[in-house]
Every structure is written in structure tokens, then in C-alpha cells.
Amino acid sequence: MKSSLILLVVNLIWGSFQINKQESFVSYTGYHPFHKWTGVSYEVVLDTECTLVSTNCDAIFTIPLISFNSGNSNRDSNMIYHLNAFKYPNVVIQFKKINIPKIFDNKDILKIEGQVNFHNIKRIQRIPIHISNSDNFTNLTSEFYIDLEEFNIEPPSLLMIPTDNKIKINVNIKGFFNNNQ
């Protein structure tokens, strides 16, 4: 749903970074007293000039809201309606002045400041990011929450009971850096 906050139609390029479209996704989880639900998008778009040695680069993740699938078409249609997705079709997260070697040197979860543009409202948020390497692949993961009301979105209701204002976002981007950089 709203926390669709992140990424889709995997663009394949993070400068010299190739994204695995089949294994990369962004999901959101919403909560209501009667149940919880998750919507997933595999349409992650990444626009960046970052390379493995970049010490000052930008990255922009874009996720089309209509690409999220919760397994329930009525719920997905309701999400598109509540988010006014035809007027504000994407969630965009922009990171500036990224130091790629520093991120790879850190074995812990880093909190990186990013600008989240959701429902045409821009907010700076510290987003936890963990990067790991295995078998020549790089895996970027993140889990964080967004507050719907901070983006001027009224939480939808079911049986006159509103959903939780907080939406959990999960990000899993798998890919590799080209060796020619």
C-alpha cells in the first residue's frame, strides 16, 4: 500500500550495478486490528552513476504504486484509490553523496539519510541499510516504517476501524557490480 515506498520495474543499473529482477523486490505491510497484509513489487527502478569506488554519488529508487500486488485485487484497488496513485504514481527515495567503499567496509546496519517523496510530500528519513556480499552478488536489505499522516494520507478504514498509521517497508535488492568499473 502506501509504504509502497519503494522501487519497481528493476532498472538494471546502479551505475555499474546490475540488479537481479527476479530476486529484487520492495514490500509493504499494513496492519488492522483484524488482520495484516503485504503487497510486493518487483518493479524496482534505480537511477544512479554509483560505481564500486564512488565516494560521492547519488542514487534514486522509484517504485510505481500500481505495481504492488497483495494477492487481493480489491485491496490493491483500494490502495491505489487512497494513495491517489493516478495523480502521484510513484514513491521515490533519493540518496545523495553516497560513499560506496564506506558502506561496504561497515559490517553493521548503517542509517543513511534519504529523501522520501510519497504522495507529493517530501520528507527526510534516516533509512537503515545493510549490504552484504556472497558468491559475487551484493545484497542490499532494509526494513523501516513510514507514517501515513506525515505524507497527508488518512489511514483507510475497515468496518469503520482505521488501519494502523505506520506501514512497514521491506527492501531486498540483489545484484552485482560490473568488473569494468
Side-chain angles (χ1 to χ4, degrees):
M1 207 161 123
K2 4 276 172 176
S3 61
S4 61
L5 186 209
I6 310 200
L7 325 156
L8 301 170
V9 187
V10 182
N11 183 334
L12 290 183
I13 299 182
W14 176 353
S16 66
F17 191 79
Q18 298 285 323
I19 295 177
N20 180 322
K21 293 187 278 184
Q22 289 77 31
E23 295 186 43
S24 299
F25 63 88
V26 174
S27 69
Y28 74 88
T29 302
Y31 302 90
H32 185 272
F34 297 143
H35 71 290
K36 71 177 183 176
W37 67 96
T38 299
V40 179
S41 174
Y42 290 91
E43 296 183 31
V44 178
V45 177
L46 176 56
D47 181 23
T48 186
E49 77 285 355
C50 294
T51 66
L52 196 52
V53 296
S54 296
T55 58
N56 187 10
C57 64
D58 300 341
I60 300 171
F61 290 93
T62 303
I63 309 161
L65 292 172
I66 63 169
S67 67
F68 283 91
N69 183 347
S70 70
N72 180 318
S73 61
N74 288 332
R75 181 174 31 237
D76 295 338
S77 294
N78 192 39
M79 181 268 297
I80 289 168
Y81 171 78
H82 271 66
L83 296 180
N84 204 357
F86 293 111
K87 186 173 183 180
Y88 311 114
N90 299 313
V91 173
V92 179
I93 302 176
Q94 181 175 6
F95 298 98
K96 293 186 176 233
K97 300 181 181 178
I98 302 169
N99 184 327
I100 299 296
K102 181 179 178 182
I103 291 172
F104 274 99
D105 286 343
N106 192 323
K107 302 298 181 212
D108 298 321
I109 295 174
L110 292 175
K111 287 198 174 185
I112 299 177
E113 196 169 89
Q115 178 181 275
V116 178
N117 184 343
F118 182 43
H119 204 245
N120 206 34
I121 305 286
K122 295 177 182 176
R123 296 272 186 253
I124 301 297
Q125 185 164 343
R126 294 189 50 80
I127 298 173
I129 294 178
H130 181 259
I131 294 182
S132 60
N133 287 307
S134 65
D135 299 326
N136 296 322
F137 280 95
T138 298
N139 199 41
L140 178 148
T141 57
S142 181
E143 181 179 299
F144 60 98
Y145 289 83
I146 62 165
D147 183 320
L148 296 177
E149 291 175 351
E150 285 184 1
F151 294 95
N152 291 339
I153 299 168
E154 184 177 330
S157 295
L158 175 64
L159 301 174
M160 299 177 56
I161 301 171
T163 62
D164 193 1
N165 188 44
K166 299 267 189 221
I167 301 291
K168 182 167 82 171
I169 307 297
N170 281 295
V171 179
N172 187 355
I173 305 296
K174 186 173 184 177
F176 60 93
F177 281 95
N178 288 326
N179 293 331
N180 59 3
Q181 294 291 324

